[in-house]
Amino acid sequence: MSKRIIPVDGDALTKEALSRLDQPARRLFLRRALTLGGLSLLSGCAITDEPSAEKALAKISRFNDRVQAWLFDPNRLAPTYPESMIARPFPFNAYYDEAQVPDVDAGRFRLEVSGLVADRHAWSLPELHALPQADQITRHICVEGWSAIGRWGGVPFSLFLRRVGADLTAKYVGFKCADDYYTSIDMPTALHPQTLLALTFDGQTLPRRYGFPMKLRMPTKLGYKNPKHIQAIFVTNTYPGGYWEDQGYNWFGGS
Ligand SMILES: Nc1nc2c(c(=O)[nH]1)N[C@H]1C(S)=C(S)[C@@H](COP(=O)(O)O)O[C@H]1N2
Ligand SMILES: [Mo]
C-alpha cells in the first residue's frame, strides 16, 4: 500500500483535516455508506432499526481509526512557524466557559502514572521541570472552525514514556484531566518526536485557561485530542475512548 501524502503546508493541512474530520461522524459515514451501496454491505447484516445502524456506524468508525493508524508516519513532521505568527491572545476553548476552568494547586499536584509502566511513582511539577525540555511553534486546529499558532514547551513525551518504563508496544495512552475531560491516543503518536508533555505556553508557565499544570500538545492531532489539565496518564491495551470521541468524534483525530 502506498503512503498517503499529507500536505506540510499549514493551510492545506487545516483544510485537509477539516474536510476529513469536522463534520458529524454520522453524516460522513452515511455518505460513505451510500457510495458503497449500503451499510448492510459493510456490516454484513440487515440494517432495519436505529440501534443496529448505530452499531454498524461505530464498527466502521473503529475500522477507520485502524486504517488511519496504519497510515500514520511517525517520521513525518507537522509544520512549524516563526515567532511572528503566534496568535496573541491565543484562543481559549473547553466544553465549559472560561470562568469554570479548574484551579490546580501547583504545590500539591502529583501526576499519576499507571497501567503498563514499570515505574508508577507520581510526579511533582519540579520533577517534571527537571527533565529535558523542548519547545515548538505549531498550529492548533479546532474542529469548531478555528486554528491558531502557538508556542508550547515541555518534556518530549517519548522521553517521558521511556523514563517511566512504559510498554511501548501497548496500543493506547490514556489521559484523565482535572475537569471531567478524558481522551486517549495511539502509541505511535505518543512516541512522535513533536508530541510534548507541555508545561509552558509562549515561554511562561502554562496559564490556567490553556491547561495548567500540563497539557499534551500534538501538532499531528486536532484540538480535542490535546488534553489540558492532565492529572493521570495510563498505558493500556484496552480502548479508553474520550470525552468527545464517545459522542461520535473520530478517535484517531489526526494525520
Ligand atoms: N481538559 C480539557 N482539555 C481539553 C478540552 C477540555 O474541554 N478540557 N477541550 C479540547 C478542545 S476541543 C480544544 S480546541 C483545546 C483548546 O485548547 P486551548 O484552550 O489551549 O485553545 O483543548 C482541548 N483539550
Ligand atoms: Mo476543539
Side-chain angles (χ1 to χ4, degrees):
M1 195 191 295
S2 70
K3 280 240 149 73
R4 194 164 44 89
I5 308 299
I6 298 159
V8 287
D9 159 63
D11 286 343
L13 178 76
T14 311
K15 234 174 103 197
E16 210 239 352
L18 290 178
S19 71
R20 265 195 300 137
L21 298 163
D22 78 337
Q23 43 222 324
R26 184 187 299 235
R27 217 164 74 213
L28 178 71
F29 296 142
L30 286 176
R31 201 179 62 207
R32 205 162 276 170
L34 286 174
T35 61
L36 291 173
L39 274 174
S40 45
L41 197 75
L42 285 166
S43 64
C45 59
I47 312 290
T48 48
D49 55 276
E50 262 290 294
S52 66
E54 289 289 344
K55 239 183 261 157
L57 291 172
K59 221 169 167 183
I60 297 163
S61 172
R62 295 310 314 283
F63 176 74
N64 285 345
D65 281 340
R66 280 210 310 278
V67 170
Q68 289 187 64
W70 291 331
L71 293 171
F72 178 80
D73 182 347
N75 299 313
R76 197 188 300 276
L77 297 182
T80 57
Y81 301 88
E83 257 196 84
S84 60
M85 287 181 75
I86 295 173
R88 296 190 178 98
F90 192 84
F92 161 83
N93 197 34
Y95 65 88
Y96 42 77
D97 61 47
E98 209 172 321
Q100 263 98 59
V101 170
D103 192 2
V104 175
D105 183 320
R108 296 222 311 253
F109 178 83
R110 295 291 181 279
L111 172 68
E112 293 161 41
V113 181
S114 67
L116 304 171
V117 297
D119 175 4
R120 300 204 176 147
H121 103 269
W123 293 69
S124 69
L125 290 176
E127 284 178 301
L128 290 169
H129 280 281
L131 293 175
Q133 310 282 308
D135 201 89
Q136 68 200 12
I137 301 173
T138 54
R139 185 188 295 272
H140 171 114
I141 303 165
C142 174
V143 292
E144 287 173 39
W146 59 271
S147 83
I149 291 166
R151 176 180 173 197
W152 290 270
V155 184
F157 197 49
S158 65
L159 185 151
F160 182 78
L161 288 175
R162 289 187 172 95
R163 197 59 71 95
V164 300
D167 175 357
L168 303 181
T169 69
K171 283 189 188 155
Y172 310 105
V173 182
F175 302 87
K176 290 182 202 156
C177 306
D179 47 15
D180 285 329
Y181 207 74
Y182 60 102
T183 188
S184 55
I185 59 168
D186 53 291
M187 186 60 81
T189 297
L191 298 174
H192 187 277
Q194 288 173 307
T195 297
L196 281 187
L197 191 57
L199 299 164
T200 69
F201 180 77
D202 211 3
Q204 311 288 317
T205 299
L206 190 68
R208 208 174 134 188
R209 63 188 176 284
Y210 302 139
F212 183 84
M214 80 195 69
K215 72 174 279 176
L216 195 75
R217 176 59 199 146
M218 296 170 284
T220 55
K221 291 228 185 273
L222 293 167
Y224 65 87
K225 298 298 299 179
N226 290 238
K228 307 196 286 186
H229 316 289
I230 298 172
Q231 203 148 57
I233 296 177
F234 57 100
V235 177
T236 180
N237 283 313
T238 307
Y239 178 67
Y243 183 90
W244 289 116
E245 294 89 331
D246 293 350
Q247 299 175 56
Y249 278 38
N250 177 263
W251 176 76
F252 194 74
S255 62

